[in-house]
Structure formats: C-alpha cells, structure tokens
Amino acid sequence: MDDNMIICLCWAEMEASAVAALYPAHRCKTIYLVRHAQGVHNAEEEKDIVDFTLPELLDAQLTPLGWSQVDCLREHVTKSGLAKKIELVIVSPLMRTMQTAVGVFGGGNYTDGVTAPPLMVEGAENSGRQAISSLNCPPFLAVEACREKLSVLTSDKRSSITRYRTLFPAIDFSLIKNDEDVLWGPDVIETDESVVARGMNFFDWLWTMEEKEIAIVTHCGFLYHTLNTYGKECHPTVAEELGKVFANCELRAMVLVNRSKLGSDTSTYNFAGKIPAGLDLPSDVADKKQAEEASKN
C-alpha cells in the first residue's frame, strides 16, 4: 500500500468518526441559563405536608439562604469575567427571579443622588438588602414567555407590574401587556406540551435581539421541559446533560445555534478575501502558471 493510499484511508477514517459541527459565528449566541435562588416555596418543600396554595406563598420571594446563593453566584460571575461579557439580562417577571437577576448581574450598592434609577430599591419585599444600582451592568428586560409552568400554586402567580415598577425601577417591563396577571388562575394547569412550545418560541425570539451574550434568569420547570425537548436531537450523553434538573441559583452556559435563515446577517468579523485582487488558484498551480508565463517572455 503506497503512502497516498494510507493518507486517504486515514482521512476517510477521520471523516467517518467526526463528532464536531461547524456553524458560522453570526448564527450563534451564547446564553447563560440561571434558575432562581431558593424561594420561600422551595423551603416549604422540605416539610412533610405543604399547602402550596397558601396566600403567604403568593409570588414567592427569596429566603435568606436564597440571598446567600445569589451572593455566591455573583462572586463567581465576577471572578470568571462573565459579568463583563453579558450584554443583556432577560428575566421572568416573578419576585424570586427578579431578586436573583439583580442580585447576581446588577451594579453595586445604590447611592442616593445618582440620576440613574436603582435596579432594586432598599429592603424590597422585606429582603433586608441594600438598594442595587443600575450602573455598570447590562440592561434588564422582563419577559413573560420564560416564566414558570403555570399551575394552581400561588408561588407561580405574579404581582402587578405597577407594584414591580416601584420595587425594580430600572427593569424594563415594556414587553408585558397586562398590569395584573391574566395567565395564572386557581384552576389553570399548563400542559408540558404548552411549556415546551412556549420555551422553543422564546428561544426563537432571542434571534430578534441584537445581543450575542445573554443571561436568562428563569425557573426549574420551564428549563426542564424545554431543554429535554432540545435534547431529543442530541447524542444521549448531551441529552442527559441538557435534561438534568437545575439546582437553585445554578448557571449553565450554552450555545444557541440558528439553523434557519432567521437572523443571518453577515458577521462583522468576516472578510471577503482577494483584496487586492490576485490569482485565485492553489499556490502550487499559481507558481506553475507564473513559471510558464515567465518562460514565454
């Protein structure tokens, strides 16, 4: 067997066993999925008998342990450099997710007299926390499409947007049409299929955003059902990784790939080549062609 045949066989073997996939960079976004920190309803789950329809669990806020989890994740995103990369924070409009989002990705402590409104006012929802600044951090956008699976649980019912605006002045609520929560009901139970459809539409919607590095602070059920559906198209090992239940205040980085024509503007880093114009031939062919032309002269 000659060397050329051996090389061809080696290349054929590599091609058959290739596991990598290539996509143009402008068809990809990096998203950072975060489940909210521990809420009072999560703490209740540790009890033997729990009535999750209790009024005191309405729009559940973070526990003291939840705020400690927020502080730990904030330290991680700061030390890792992630805090400086994120261009936009999208958050589910429930108390526990917004408290988590501003605590992790917001600016430092708010100072009176600053013209920019705070992300969260001091002591919001009896949190005992200082006000959080909206300076030196990405913008925050509340999006109802990434809220928790709708159920009879009072923890999944949000408060009014009017109330939220007083507690989280610098969060943008402009995409939410109704002041009161018209989606939740005491007898409304959203199907898993509905959550999946909502989740996949949400990720498709991300392609309308110009930002490439986006943090999304959302809920366990929403993530579980949506990511398990995406996992069906993957290798079992990847599917298992996607479908693993998120812990409170867990962050996972993922690449969102656009496989359609949606959002297919050319990357600003691409370069057309052949500038200035020259022979558009392989180097060995070009060298031979130049030698032949030189011999004619």
Side-chain angles (χ1 to χ4, degrees):
M1 184 180 296
D2 61 27
D3 291 344
N4 288 335
M5 184 173 292
I6 292 174
I7 292 172
C8 289
L9 287 174
C10 288
W11 275 108
E13 183 178 349
M14 289 176 64
E15 183 179 3
S17 62
V19 295
L22 289 176
Y23 288 89
H26 64 279
R27 290 182 174 271
C28 302
K29 292 181 187 286
T30 304
I31 58 175
Y32 304 94
L33 301 175
V34 179
R35 181 191 175 191
H36 62 80
Q38 187 195 61
V40 294
H41 64 306
N42 298 133
E44 286 290 314
E45 293 171 359
E46 299 178 4
K47 298 180 180 179
D48 293 333
I49 300 176
V50 182
D51 181 4
F52 286 106
T53 63
L54 292 173
E56 49 264 40
L57 297 181
L58 177 66
D59 196 10
Q61 64 176 5
L62 297 187
T63 64
L65 175 59
W67 279 110
S68 296
Q69 294 168 346
V70 166
D71 293 337
C72 288
L73 181 54
R74 180 180 180 84
E75 181 180 6
H76 168 72
V77 299
T78 301
K79 287 184 175 180
S80 65
L82 178 57
K84 295 182 179 179
K85 295 178 63 176
I86 292 175
E87 303 168 73
L88 175 67
V89 178
I90 294 176
V91 59
S92 161
L94 277 90
M95 187 64 65
R96 56 192 182 272
T97 40
M98 291 188 291
Q99 288 178 324
T100 301
V102 300
V104 172
F105 300 109
N109 292 337
Y110 181 80
T111 303
D112 290 338
V114 176
T115 56
L119 275 170
M120 187 179 82
V121 299
E122 183 176 359
E125 202 67 1
N126 298 315
S127 63
R129 307 286 289 200
Q130 293 184 347
I132 298 174
S133 173
S134 60
L135 298 176
N136 302 314
C137 66
F140 286 66
L141 178 64
V143 177
E144 208 144 40
C146 65
R147 62 186 288 178
E148 183 58 294
K149 176 182 177 179
L150 295 167
S151 70
V152 298
L153 306 184
T154 53
S155 57
D156 295 333
K157 184 181 189 300
R158 69 165 173 82
S159 301
S160 70
I161 300 303
T162 299
R163 180 166 181 262
Y164 284 157
R165 283 196 170 109
T166 65
L167 299 175
F168 305 95
I171 292 182
D172 183 354
F173 294 98
S174 62
L175 294 184
I176 299 179
K177 298 179 180 179
N178 298 290
D179 186 50
E180 297 294 337
D181 190 353
V182 298
L183 300 177
W184 185 90
D187 55 354
V188 173
I189 300 179
E190 188 177 15
T191 65
D192 294 347
E193 292 77 14
S194 173
V195 178
V196 168
R198 176 160 60 86
M200 299 186 81
N201 286 336
F202 169 76
F203 286 119
D204 284 346
W205 168 81
L206 286 179
W207 286 107
T208 67
M209 312 302 290
E210 62 181 19
E211 293 84 3
K212 290 290 189 178
E213 306 260 353
I214 303 174
I216 300 154
V217 184
T218 179
H219 306 266
C220 180
F222 174 81
L223 290 169
Y224 177 80
H225 293 293
T226 304
L227 296 185
N228 267 283
T229 300
Y230 280 108
K232 292 178 181 178
E233 300 181 0
C234 303
H235 184 277
T237 302
V238 178
E240 181 180 0
E241 185 177 352
L242 282 174
K244 183 182 177 183
V245 174
F246 274 67
N248 282 128
C249 223
E250 180 178 359
L251 179 152
R252 296 183 203 168
M254 299 189 184
V255 176
L256 184 65
V257 177
N258 174 17
R259 297 184 295 181
S260 72
K261 291 184 178 181
L262 186 65
S264 58
D265 293 339
T266 303
S267 169
T268 56
Y269 296 109
N270 287 1
F271 186 75
K274 206 174 180 180
I275 301 172
L279 287 172
D280 195 10
L281 296 169
S283 59
D284 55 342
V285 177
D287 292 343
K288 183 178 179 181
K289 185 176 181 68
Q290 288 176 334
E292 290 174 351
E293 292 177 352
S295 64
K296 293 176 183 179
N297 299 329

